[in-house]
Amino acid sequence: RGRGPPEIKGMCSLKVDISGRPPAKWNVDDLRDIFSKYGEVGDVFIPRTKFSERQCGFAFVRFHSEREGLEAMRRMNGFKLEGGSALTVTRAQYGRGE
């Protein structure tokens, strides 16, 4: 490991919440694939719960372009993943360490 977080300054950050329990497709690679239809994804981050390695029911998807990020937010809000879990996509209010 030893890698720090990627440089995200200037990226358009989206917060992606999922209704219910995260399905098997709730991982960095699948989220990157789903969102990259709308532009170049710079980073995907899924936090883990504090005392276990279980993933939280939300993620951050960051786009290099503001325009692409806003288009992804518009198109992906309400999107249903395999298993029927719906996504709520909003503009992230705070970045890491801000």
Side-chain angles (χ1 to χ4, degrees):
R1 293 201 160 211
R3 265 183 42 214
E7 179 55 56
I8 58 173
K9 198 171 187 67
M11 286 190 194
C12 177
S13 292
L14 305 179
K15 183 173 184 239
V16 182
D17 290 287
I18 189 162
S19 64
R21 281 186 62 122
K25 288 229 174 262
W26 190 249
N27 62 65
V28 168
D29 292 332
D30 284 323
L31 286 177
R32 184 181 302 274
D33 285 348
I34 292 168
F35 278 87
S36 66
K37 293 179 187 122
Y38 304 103
E40 188 182 350
V41 174
D43 181 48
V44 177
F45 175 64
I46 303 174
R48 297 194 177 274
T49 56
K50 194 168 188 167
F51 298 108
S52 77
E53 282 299 299
R54 260 197 6 257
Q55 293 177 326
C56 293
F58 63 94
F60 295 95
V61 178
R62 296 180 178 94
F63 282 84
H64 289 288
S65 156
E66 175 101 1
R67 185 180 53 76
E68 292 171 349
L70 295 177
E71 175 73 3
M73 181 175 73
R74 193 172 66 78
R75 299 278 192 108
M76 293 300 294
N77 190 40
F79 180 83
K80 286 195 171 26
L81 289 177
E82 230 171 72
S85 297
L87 301 182
T88 302
V89 184
T90 55
R91 186 76 183 256
Q93 296 301 307
Y94 304 101
R96 253 192 308 243
E98 291 180 342

